[in-house]
């Protein structure tokens, strides 16, 4: 079975709304529809022959149901991404605990470990914001501005290295950064309603 989560749409929006309103039938439907895909996702993010697969699946579904009941997760379109983040969070947090107890944990799993006490909702917002900022950067009319902002702010390259690569002096660098940030600020303000 693939890890494709059930599609969003009117039915998914209705399901989310019904769960938020306390409908236990909708909760049971949510579990039956999403459980197989969540199980596949859990298996992708755990060790082979992991004995706790079903525990992870139940923990993730329970966590997401709590968020839906509390109305903290209302956007059905965000549900698949939230479930993926919840799976990653639950599995890697468990492997972090095991590692702190001295149990061996593979480097591949450790690379996926989220920051301590991270919340899947916050991770999703951060990812969506990063996508939006990159999209706005792509709209900047001057290619050099895009390059400079990406290298300086996102890739954290050294100012002197950027100046040498772009053939500009430090004073000019500051002017370019200022203008590029102003253009980006204008784009963000124009698109403020779209930022998650």
């Amino acid at each position: 079975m693939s890890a494709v989560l059930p599609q969003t749409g009117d039915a998914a929006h209705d399901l989310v709304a019904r769960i938020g309103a306390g409908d236990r039938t909708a909760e049971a439907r949510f579990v039956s529809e999403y459980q197989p895909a969540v199980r596949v996702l859990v298996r992708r993010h755990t060790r082979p022959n992991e004995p706790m697969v079903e525990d992870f699946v139940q923990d993730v579904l329970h966590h997401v149901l709590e968020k839906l009941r509390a109305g903290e997760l209302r956007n059905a379109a965000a549900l698949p991404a939230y479930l993926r983040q919840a799976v990653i969070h639950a599995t890697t947090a468990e492997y972090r605990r095991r590692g702190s107890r001295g149990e061996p944990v593979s480097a591949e799993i450790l690379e996926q470990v989220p920051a301590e006490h991270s919340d899947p909702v916050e991770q999703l917002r951060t990812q969506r914001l990063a996508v939006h900022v990159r999209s706005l950067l792509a709209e900047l009319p001057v290619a050099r501005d895009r390059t400079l902002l990406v290298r300086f702010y996102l890739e954290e390259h050294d100012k002197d290295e950027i100046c040498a690569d772009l053939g500009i002096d430090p004073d000019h660098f500051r002017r370019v950064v200022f203008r590029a940030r102003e253009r980006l600020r204008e784009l963000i303000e124009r698109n403020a309603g779209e930022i998650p």
Side-chain angles (χ1 to χ4, degrees):
M1 170 173 286
S2 76
V4 175
L5 291 165
Q7 295 295 314
T8 59
D10 291 340
H13 289 285
D14 179 59
L15 186 64
V16 167
R18 287 174 45 211
I19 291 170
D23 184 337
R24 297 293 183 194
T25 305
E27 291 180 9
R29 183 171 157 219
F30 167 81
V31 170
S32 69
E33 287 183 13
Y34 286 84
Q35 188 174 37
V38 169
R39 186 175 293 113
V40 171
L41 287 170
V42 166
R43 286 190 178 128
R44 284 186 186 168
H45 293 281
T46 56
R47 297 172 179 168
N49 303 315
E50 170 61 58
M52 290 182 53
V53 167
E54 289 307 312
D55 291 342
F56 286 130
V57 171
Q58 295 308 312
D59 288 349
V60 167
L61 291 171
H62 179 75
H63 168 77
V64 174
L65 273 173
E66 284 182 348
K67 294 290 185 185
L68 290 167
R69 287 174 188 145
E72 294 176 34
L73 185 58
R74 294 185 205 120
N75 183 358
L79 191 54
Y82 185 83
L83 280 162
R84 285 184 188 95
Q85 287 299 321
V87 166
I88 292 168
H89 183 266
T91 56
T92 55
E94 174 61 21
Y95 287 124
R96 181 192 305 266
R97 283 190 291 275
R98 290 181 191 181
S100 70
R101 292 191 304 254
E103 296 178 33
V105 180
S106 74
E108 181 180 305
I109 289 172
L110 286 176
E111 288 174 4
Q112 299 175 20
V113 175
E116 195 71 43
H117 307 297
S118 63
D119 177 18
V121 170
E122 191 55 40
Q123 291 174 357
L124 179 60
R125 283 188 188 124
T126 301
Q127 289 173 352
R128 291 176 66 199
L129 181 60
V131 166
H132 194 74
V133 168
R134 287 184 189 279
S135 172
L136 291 174
L137 281 168
E139 292 180 30
L140 285 174
V142 181
R144 182 184 61 188
D145 290 357
R146 285 192 302 272
T147 301
L148 192 145
L149 289 175
V150 167
R151 289 186 64 189
F152 189 61
Y153 288 109
L154 299 179
E155 297 173 357
E156 299 181 356
H157 288 198
D158 181 66
K159 177 180 77 171
D160 295 331
E161 176 188 342
I162 297 170
C163 286
D165 290 349
L166 297 179
I168 58 177
D169 63 56
D171 287 334
H172 189 65
F173 175 88
R174 283 190 287 280
R175 288 191 299 274
V176 172
V177 166
F178 176 78
R179 284 194 308 268
R181 281 193 321 228
E182 286 299 302
R183 288 185 188 114
L184 182 60
R185 183 184 55 76
E186 290 168 9
L187 284 170
I188 289 171
E189 287 174 357
R190 273 201 316 262
N191 293 280
E194 297 174 23
I195 294 178

